[in-house]
Structures are given as structure tokens and as C-alpha cells.
Amino acid sequence: MISPMPFVTSEQDDTDPTVKLAVVPPRRFLLIEGFGYRAHDGSFWDVPADGVSTDLASVPGPLWSLLASYGRQTRPALLHDHITESALKLRDRQAAFDLRDRGDDLFRESLADEGVTSGSRRWTFWAGVTLGKYALHGTFLATVLGLSSLVSLWLTWELLVATAFSAAPWSWAGVAGTVSVILWLANGDLRRDWPLWAMALWLLPPFTIYLVVWFVTALWIGIPGLFTGGSLSDIVMPTERSAPPQAQGPR
């Protein structure tokens, strides 16, 4: 038995769709022809060409060398962007939160369908969009508790490093870690998204080192450019093109 394609041209057409995009300067895109996604639970999700621009996987510039904004994740990103836009149109916060939550899960699910075989990479993408869910639709309490928990978790790692190279007591790191866990468990939404805390526990050390190295490298390469016509923004986003100036009409 041949399994149906997850990404299809339409609900009636099971052919594999080709993504056609138009460039919207400086670095966004428009979907020209829509397609659909058949989820593992049998539900069908339409991804129309509705004129809404997208930056695809919304990966921050410093992380482009680790997580590209396009590639195998292009169609999952377009699916997720459409669900995100649909959630933003809902007036009820809880309904928007639930729809965005479903979209985040579909993003991770469809990444596997597109051949992203690394589970850690799929969960890393999921962690990024789940942070966005709380930023856009989370309650104030959940957002504050979650952010405080992640800061405490980062501090736990910093204290562990400090303890390894100094006489600082290990108990400091233990206290910070305990506070992080308590803050996360204090909210129901955060408890349901416990994999986000687990991903942060795993990713914070390497991402911290990576970002420090990236920043120092960007300064090393970019600072000389300040003396040859460059700007401060050129140091951190050297290939970012600014939007073209708006044409002035006749007065």
C-alpha cells in the first residue's frame, strides 16, 4: 500500500507540489501557488497564496549557519506561517494560543515528512517557534514565569562553569536550577510545554558559546569597515539589504 503524500497540490490532487515564491525585498517572499498538508491524524490544512509575505523559517541571522531559513524546512515553514497568521486574526487569546500550539506541532511533524531525520534539529526548530507562541499569545504570567525560569536555567550553567574553575560552592548552581524548575512547573501551559525547558537545558551551553564566538568574529571582521564607509549595522548583519526608499509622488 502506497502512503499518501503529506504535502499535496490540493485536497483533491495528491501530486507533490512545487513551491513557487516571489522575492519581496529586502528578504521576504510571497507564495505564488498554494498547496496543502495532510497531517498524520488525517486532518487537512490548506496553505493558500493569500498575499501575506513570509521570511520562511524565521531564523535569526546569527544562527543561519546552524539552522537555515529554507531548504527541507521551506514547506513546513510556509504551513506554519499560514497557521500563525490565522491565529493572529483570532480575537480570543486562548483560541489563538491553541491554534498556534497546533501549528507548532505540525511544523515539527512536517519537518520529519520532508526528510529532516535529526530529531534534535526538529525539536530545536519547535523550541524556537514555541517561544514565539508565548510571546504572541501566552498569558502575562506564563510569559514572565517562563522567561524567569529560562534565565535561572542559564544562570545555573554559568554557576556550574564558575564552580568548576573557582572555589564557589556547588549549591549555588543547585539553587538556581531548583528555582528554574519551580518557576516552570508553576504554570499549566508551561508544564504542558515541558520539552521546551528540556531543550533549553540542552541547548543553552552550546548556543551561549556559539553566540559569543559569532559576536567576537563579527567584530573582528566588521570593525575595520567602520573606517571605510561601513556602519555599525554592517558589523552584525553584513549581508542584510535595507529596504529601497519609497518613491515620492508628484506634489
Side-chain angles (χ1 to χ4, degrees):
M1 179 179 178
I2 300 176
S3 299
M5 297 290 293
F7 282 101
V8 294
T9 299
S10 69
E11 193 167 8
Q12 294 74 36
D13 184 353
D14 284 346
T15 57
D16 191 31
T18 298
V19 173
K20 297 181 180 180
L21 300 171
V23 178
V24 180
R27 54 181 296 263
R28 295 185 71 84
F29 304 88
L30 278 179
L31 181 63
I32 297 176
E33 294 182 6
F35 57 92
Y37 177 72
R38 188 172 286 109
H40 295 183
D41 64 0
S43 61
F44 185 83
W45 298 79
D46 188 44
V47 184
D50 52 8
V52 178
S53 66
T54 172
D55 62 353
L56 301 180
S58 303
V59 178
L63 301 181
W64 285 352
S65 62
L66 299 177
L67 302 168
S69 60
Y70 63 92
R72 291 178 178 176
Q73 54 267 38
T74 296
R75 292 193 293 196
L78 290 167
L79 166 67
H80 183 265
D81 278 0
H82 174 65
I83 297 175
T84 297
E85 289 295 327
S86 299
L88 288 172
K89 295 175 183 178
L90 297 178
R91 295 184 178 182
D92 182 77
R93 186 206 62 80
Q94 187 61 52
F97 184 89
D98 292 341
L99 179 58
R100 175 61 189 265
D101 184 69
R102 179 65 173 134
D104 294 348
D105 288 342
L106 287 173
F107 182 46
R108 189 183 72 250
E109 173 186 306
S110 59
L111 283 171
D113 292 331
E114 289 291 86
V116 182
T117 57
S118 169
S120 59
R121 191 167 293 272
R122 295 196 303 270
W123 279 99
T124 298
F125 271 115
W126 174 87
V129 296
T130 299
L131 287 173
K133 175 184 69 178
Y134 282 95
L136 292 174
H137 306 295
T139 63
F140 177 77
L141 180 60
T143 303
V144 170
L145 287 174
L147 182 59
S148 300
S149 174
L150 295 180
V151 170
S152 297
L153 186 58
W154 178 82
L155 183 60
T156 301
W157 280 113
E158 297 302 305
L159 290 171
L160 284 173
V161 173
T163 301
F165 295 97
S166 70
W170 291 95
S171 59
W172 291 0
V175 169
T178 301
V179 169
S180 176
V181 172
I182 292 174
L183 290 172
W184 197 268
L185 295 178
N187 180 266
D189 288 336
L190 293 175
R191 286 197 298 273
R192 284 188 291 273
D193 280 329
W194 68 266
L196 177 57
W197 187 91
M199 288 299 297
L201 174 66
W202 180 56
L203 291 175
L204 278 174
F207 269 38
T208 299
I209 296 171
Y210 172 84
L211 290 174
V212 169
V213 172
W214 172 87
F215 184 71
V216 172
T217 303
L219 288 178
W220 185 266
I221 296 174
I223 285 180
L226 296 176
F227 303 99
T228 57
S231 65
L232 290 175
S233 62
D234 294 331
I235 294 178
V236 293
M237 294 297 290
T239 59
E240 180 79 6
R241 186 174 71 173
S242 58
Q246 297 294 322
Q248 298 294 323
R251 295 182 180 273

